[in-house]
Amino acid sequence: MDRFRIIKQRLEMLCLCLCVFGSMAACKKAEGQPSANKEPVAPPLKQETEPVVAEEKTDAYVMRIGHAQTEESPRHRSLLLFKEQVEKNTGGKLKVELYPNGELGDETEMTVSVSEGELEAVRGGDLEFVPKITLLGLPMIADSMEDARKLCYSDFVSDMLSSVKANNMMVLAVGDDSGFRQITNSVHPITKPADMKGLKIRAPQIVATVNFITELGASATVVPFTKLYSELAEGKVDGQENPLALIDSSKFYEVQKYCTIINYQFFPELMYVNLDWWQSLPQEYQTVLTASAKRMMEENARITDAENEAYIKHIQQEGCQVLALSAAERAAFLPHAERVWEKYIDDGYATKQELKDMLAVVGKTIAW
C-alpha cells in the first residue's frame, strides 16, 4: 500500500513539473511575438558620435600698432587717420588697434616683438634694423623739410629697406620724425659755430649727433630724457637739442633762455610690419595698407609743418628767446657738418659712394 502511495505521489509531481515547464515555454514564445493589441516596439537606436563641425574660416584681421609717443603727437594723430582709412576701405574686415606711450615697450622692444611675430607693427621703431638709413641723420644733409621728405620717399631709401626681411619684417612707410632738430641753451645766444664752444649739450647717443656737437667745440653729455628737465634746471647741462614739438611739450622753455632755429638734423621714421602677417593678408588688403600708410605720413608732415609755427610762438611767449638763423648764418655751420660726413665714412658706417648717392637726391655734391 505504501509502495502504491509513493508511486502516485511521484506521478503527481511529474505532472506538476510538466505543467510548469509548459507555461514557461509558452511565455517565452509570447515574448518573441508582437501582441495583437500593441504596436511592435522598435529596438533602441544605436548611439551615434556627434558630428565634427569644421571651424569656419574668417576673413577678419587685426593689426596692433605700438609707438612711444603721446596721443597728442603728430605720430598718433596721423595713425588715427591710418586706422580710419584702413577700416573704412576694408569694410571693417581689418581692425587697427593703437598702443601709444610705449605701452608695449620701448622702440627697440617693440621692433623685436614685430620681428618675432608677437606684434603686427611698430611706428618709429629701432633704426638699427636698417643701419644704412642712419645716413639720413647726418647733419645738414637737407636744407628744407621738402628735401628731407624727398630723401625719405626716394629710391635710395627704398633700396636699403629690403634688408629687414632677414629679420622677418618689412617697412610699410618712411617719413620724418617731427621735423628738424633745434638747439637750446641757457648760457648765450647761438648764431655762429664759435658760440657752441665749451657748452655742455645733452644729446642722444647717435654717432652723427655726437660728432657734430663735438666738432663745434661743445661736449655731448649723456642724460636720460626723463631726467633732462631737472638736469637743465639744476644747470648740470647747459643745453639740449630736439624738435620743436618736444621742446614745447617738455616745457624746456622754462629752464632754457635761448632756442636756435638751425634746422641742422632730422631723423627718418619707419613703420615696421611683421612679414609673415603681411604675407597672410589678401592682396587687396595689402593695397589698402600701402595707400593708407602713404596718406598717414603725408598727414604727419602736414601736422608738423602747421604746428611748428605755433610752437615757436608759444616758446617765445613763455620767455625763451627764439633765434632763427639766416641762410648765411646757417651756411657757416656747413664746413663742420662736412667734416662729420667724412669721419662717418672713415669710420666705416657707410661708403663714399653711398653718401654721394644720397646727396644727389637733394642736388648736393662733395669735393673730397
Side-chain angles (χ1 to χ4, degrees), residues 33-39:
Q33 299 294 329
S35 167
N37 300 320
K38 294 182 180 180
E39 291 292 327

Side-chain angles (χ1 to χ4, degrees), residues 51-95:
V52 177
V53 179
E55 286 189 15
E56 216 175 288
K57 289 188 178 179
T58 177
D59 56 356
Y61 297 85
V62 175
M63 183 183 193
R64 295 166 300 159
I65 306 173
H67 72 91
Q69 295 185 5
T70 67
E71 290 95 330
E72 291 75 30
S73 65
R75 179 181 293 174
H76 188 78
R77 283 185 282 165
S78 59
L79 274 167
L80 289 174
L81 176 65
F82 175 81
K83 171 181 170 68
E84 177 189 320
Q85 294 283 309
V86 170
E87 292 181 350
K88 175 184 176 182
N89 292 317
T90 61
K93 297 292 182 63
L94 202 170
K95 298 289 185 183

Side-chain angles (χ1 to χ4, degrees), residues 338-357:
E338 289 183 340
R339 284 195 280 274
V340 173
W341 303 353
E342 192 168 2
K343 178 174 173 52
Y344 197 80
I345 301 306
D346 290 344
D347 289 345
Y349 289 103
T351 67
K352 188 173 182 179
Q353 187 59 51
E354 286 170 333
L355 176 61
K356 286 183 174 181
D357 291 344

Side-chain angles (χ1 to χ4, degrees), residues 156-173:
F156 173 79
V157 168
S158 296
D159 290 344
M160 67 177 66
L161 299 180
S162 60
S163 64
V164 299
K165 290 185 178 179
N167 292 293
N168 195 32
M169 293 188 293
M170 61 163 287
V171 175
L172 182 59

Side-chain angles (χ1 to χ4, degrees), residues 35-50:
S35 167
N37 300 320
K38 294 182 180 180
E39 291 292 327
V41 179
L45 293 173
K46 184 179 178 181
Q47 188 68 31
E48 297 289 345
T49 306
E50 286 293 325

Side-chain angles (χ1 to χ4, degrees), residues 61 94 273 276-286 289:
Y61 297 85
L94 202 170
V273 175
D276 288 339
W277 180 80
W278 173 264
Q279 292 175 340
S280 75
L281 296 173
Q283 177 64 52
E284 60 267 30
Y285 289 6
Q286 293 178 357
L289 285 172

Side-chain angles (χ1 to χ4, degrees), residues 12-205:
E12 289 174 350
M13 183 64 69
L14 179 60
C15 289
L16 180 61
C17 288
L18 289 171
C19 289
V20 170
F21 289 143
S23 296
M24 290 176 65
C27 290
K28 188 77 174 173
K29 184 178 180 181
E31 285 177 2
Q33 299 294 329
S35 167
N37 300 320
K38 294 182 180 180
E39 291 292 327
V41 179
L45 293 173
K46 184 179 178 181
Q47 188 68 31
E48 297 289 345
T49 306
E50 286 293 325
V52 177
V53 179
E55 286 189 15
E56 216 175 288
K57 289 188 178 179
T58 177
D59 56 356
Y61 297 85
V62 175
M63 183 183 193
R64 295 166 300 159
I65 306 173
H67 72 91
Q69 295 185 5
T70 67
E71 290 95 330
E72 291 75 30
S73 65
R75 179 181 293 174
H76 188 78
R77 283 185 282 165
S78 59
L79 274 167
L80 289 174
L81 176 65
F82 175 81
K83 171 181 170 68
E84 177 189 320
Q85 294 283 309
V86 170
E87 292 181 350
K88 175 184 176 182
N89 292 317
T90 61
K93 297 292 182 63
L94 202 170
K95 298 289 185 183
V96 176
E97 297 177 358
L98 304 179
Y99 296 88
N101 298 305
E103 290 177 21
L104 303 181
D106 62 30
E107 293 193 333
T108 298
E109 290 169 337
M110 287 187 285
T111 309
V112 171
S113 293
V114 172
S115 176
E116 295 177 349
E118 297 172 357
L119 180 65
E120 286 75 42
V122 59
R123 186 164 155 203
D126 193 335
L127 295 180
E128 291 303 316
F129 285 84
V130 190
K132 292 292 184 182
I133 207 168
T134 56
L135 265 169
L136 274 67
L138 287 173
M140 308 192 79
I141 289 293
D143 296 330
S144 66
M145 284 315 301
E146 288 75 15
D147 281 350
R149 288 159 191 157
K150 187 186 295 184
L151 279 166
C152 289
Y153 307 148
S154 68
D155 291 339
F156 173 79
V157 168
S158 296
D159 290 344
M160 67 177 66
L161 299 180
S162 60
S163 64
V164 299
K165 290 185 178 179
N167 292 293
N168 195 32
M169 293 188 293
M170 61 163 287
V171 175
L172 182 59
V174 183
D176 64 275
D177 185 5
S178 302
F180 281 123
R181 300 174 80 84
Q182 318 298 351
I183 300 173
T184 68
N185 85 101
S186 289
V187 179
H188 53 239
I190 296 172
T191 59
K192 58 185 182 296
D195 294 333
M196 288 285 289
K197 191 172 182 180
L199 296 179
K200 291 175 65 177
I201 303 293
R202 182 269 178 187
Q205 292 307 288

